[in-house]
Amino acid sequence: MTDINHIVIVGRLTRDLGTDERSFAYLPSGQARANVSIAVNRSRKQGDQWVDEANYFDVTIWGKTAENLKPYLTKGKQIAVDGYLKQDRWEKDGQKQSRVSIVANNVQLLGGKSDGGQQSGGYTPRFSQGAASSQGIGADAGYDMGPSYGGSDGSFPEDIPF
């Protein structure tokens, strides 16, 4: 039986994606890498009261997805991340160290208002890793362009079923 390593998480960014090399950089191969941190709130009952607790997770976004999301990843923005857990291990001063982070396969921007204070448009951008996302911008690049009506050519049918 195959093991499963899959995570879906929704939270808010704890800081803006900056221009410093630690949060966004291009590798020597030319591939983009973005490191963000998200806070995920959870309510649990403690005695007779509900207590909120925040958990913080580091997320790494690669390639065209990182490039395309760069202008949108601002502090407080709610995002959904679909990916997998990755454990890094190293030794420092004779002590073994370990860190678990999330590597994103898909990232979706969620709700909230845009920077101009107006509600976001009629579709929510969805950014995906994979072969389709490396081919450019558009529906084939992993964007969710909203519902499709009619045939595959994008035209409306003559008889609308409502």
Side-chain angles (χ1 to χ4, degrees):
M1 178 173 184
T2 304
D3 296 334
I4 298 174
N5 180 358
H6 185 244
I7 185 167
V8 177
I9 195 163
V10 175
R12 296 193 179 272
L13 295 168
T14 62
R15 63 183 181 275
D16 290 346
L17 181 63
T19 57
D20 63 314
E21 192 171 310
R22 218 175 148 176
S23 66
F24 186 87
Y26 287 95
L27 300 180
S29 66
Q31 186 178 32
R33 178 205 24 88
N35 288 327
V36 296
S37 178
I38 62 173
V40 178
N41 293 321
R42 178 176 179 262
S43 294
R44 61 180 175 83
K45 195 160 187 173
Q46 186 175 30
D48 293 337
Q49 297 183 42
W50 284 96
V51 178
D52 288 332
E53 68 179 29
N55 293 288
Y56 300 92
F57 299 96
D58 294 324
V59 179
T60 302
I61 307 166
W62 291 98
K64 289 285 187 191
T65 304
E67 290 176 327
N68 293 334
L69 281 173
K70 187 177 179 184
Y72 304 106
L73 297 179
T74 57
K75 183 177 181 176
K77 181 68 178 169
Q78 188 178 38
I79 64 171
V81 176
D82 177 0
Y84 61 92
L85 297 175
K86 180 178 186 291
Q87 183 179 28
D88 294 317
R89 296 179 188 157
W90 68 96
E91 194 169 312
K92 181 177 179 182
D93 300 328
Q95 297 290 320
K96 292 183 179 185
Q97 306 286 323
S98 176
R99 179 181 96 125
V100 175
S101 62
I102 300 169
V103 177
N105 289 327
N106 300 304
V107 178
Q108 184 173 0
L109 303 174
L110 300 175
K113 295 187 177 186
S114 62
D115 292 331
Q118 298 187 6
Q119 208 55 20
S120 60
Y123 72 94
T124 302
R126 183 182 313 233
F127 300 90
S128 303
Q129 288 290 105
S133 66
S134 66
Q135 295 176 5
I137 296 177
D140 291 338
Y143 294 104
D144 181 7
M145 301 304 276
S148 174
Y149 300 101
S152 61
D153 63 351
S155 65
F156 289 94
E158 289 183 30
D159 295 321
I160 299 176
F162 54 84

